[in-house]
Amino acid sequence: MDYIDTTELIDAVRARMRADLTPKRLAHCESTARTAAELARRLALNEPVCYLAGLAHDMCRELSLETQEKLVAKEWEAIDFLKNHESMKSLFADIDFRGKMIHGPAAACMLYQDFGVRDKVILESVALHSIADEQMSDCAKVVYISDKLEPRRSRPSEAEENLKSLDLDHLFAYTVGCVVRWFTDSGKSLAPFTKELYHRMLAK
C-alpha cells in the first residue's frame, strides 16, 4: 500500500466517519490519528498506515451493537488471522465486556468490507485497539497508545513527555498502566484480560 493509495483511503474513511459519528467522537479519532502519525515518525514506522488505523479505530463506535455484531459475523474473514491472539479470544468470550469492545473488530470488518482493506497490520491495529496484548505489531501498539494518550484525553501530566521520549515497549507498558489506574480511580470495571496483561508486565 503506497502513500497515494493510503491518502485516498484516508479521505474515503474520513467521509464515512463524518456521516456516522458525532463531532466529539470524530475529533477524538482525528487526534488519535495525529498522535499515531507523530509517534510512528519518531519510531521510524509506517506513518500513513498508523495514521489510517488511528483514524479508523472508532469508526463503528456509535453504530448499534446489533449492527456491529452482524458486521463481524458477516466479515469474520477480515479478522480470522487474529483468532489465536489471547486478547481476541478474551474479547469474544467475555460476556460483560464484549459489547464495549467489539467496535474494534467491527471497524476492522468495515474497512475490509466497504473499503477493500487487506493490510493485516491495519486490520489488527483497529481490531485490537481496545484490548491490547504482547503479540501485537508495533503499529498496533502505537494505535493503542495513541487512543489512550491523545491530547484530548484526560491524561497524566507526564504523558506528553513520555510520548516524545520513551521507547515503544516502555511506552506501551506505561499506557497499559495508565488505563488500569484510570479504571481503578474511576471505579469502573476493567476487563480481566487487561488486568492480567498489566500484572504480566509488572512481573517482567
Side-chain angles (χ1 to χ4, degrees):
M1 182 177 295
D2 61 34
Y3 188 86
I4 293 176
D5 288 344
T6 307
T7 301
E8 293 173 352
L9 184 55
I10 286 169
D11 288 342
V13 168
R14 183 181 286 112
R16 171 70 67 84
M17 293 171 68
R18 283 176 178 153
D20 290 348
L21 300 180
T22 61
K24 182 178 180 180
R25 179 73 60 184
L26 180 60
H28 161 66
C29 291
E30 295 275 13
S31 185
T32 298
R34 289 191 296 270
T35 302
E38 291 166 3
L39 190 53
R41 190 180 313 125
R42 179 171 76 80
L43 298 172
L45 300 176
N46 190 315
E47 186 178 337
V49 164
C50 288
Y51 183 96
L52 172 59
L55 179 69
H57 78 283
D58 266 358
M59 67 187 304
C60 289
R61 190 69 175 87
E62 294 175 349
L63 300 180
S64 70
L65 181 56
E66 180 183 8
T67 298
Q68 294 178 47
E69 291 278 9
K70 287 182 177 178
L71 186 56
V72 170
K74 180 182 177 184
E75 298 295 344
W76 178 259
E77 180 182 357
I79 54 175
D80 184 63
F81 70 99
L82 297 171
K83 64 184 178 183
N84 291 324
H85 276 245
E86 292 302 318
S87 58
M88 183 66 80
K89 287 191 278 188
S90 174
L91 189 159
F92 282 100
D94 192 322
I95 297 174
D96 292 332
F97 288 91
R98 175 175 175 141
K100 299 176 182 178
M101 297 185 290
I102 198 173
H103 66 278
C109 290
M110 179 175 283
L111 288 173
Y112 185 92
Q113 171 185 276
D114 294 351
F115 300 93
V117 174
R118 298 295 184 269
D119 188 308
K120 289 185 177 180
V121 172
I122 295 173
L123 297 174
E124 173 204 27
S125 301
V126 172
L128 298 182
H129 79 269
S130 289
I131 185 163
D133 65 47
E134 302 99 316
Q135 298 173 261
M136 292 199 309
S137 67
D138 288 349
C139 179
K141 290 178 180 177
V142 163
V143 173
Y144 177 84
I145 291 164
S146 301
D147 175 36
K148 307 304 183 286
L149 299 183
E150 59 94 352
R152 293 178 60 86
R153 292 276 201 186
S154 175
R155 58 185 188 172
S157 58
E158 74 278 3
E160 182 64 25
E161 179 57 34
N162 285 344
L163 281 167
K164 294 177 180 178
S165 61
L166 293 182
D167 63 60
L168 182 58
D169 287 339
H170 284 91
L171 185 56
F172 180 55
Y174 166 77
T175 304
V176 173
C178 287
V179 170
V180 171
R181 285 190 293 275
W182 186 86
F183 274 90
T184 300
D185 292 345
S186 68
K188 295 185 177 181
S189 298
L190 178 66
F193 184 86
T194 303
K195 291 181 184 178
E196 294 165 7
L197 172 64
Y198 182 59
H199 288 307
R200 288 197 300 271
M201 288 180 164
L202 286 179
K204 293 179 181 179

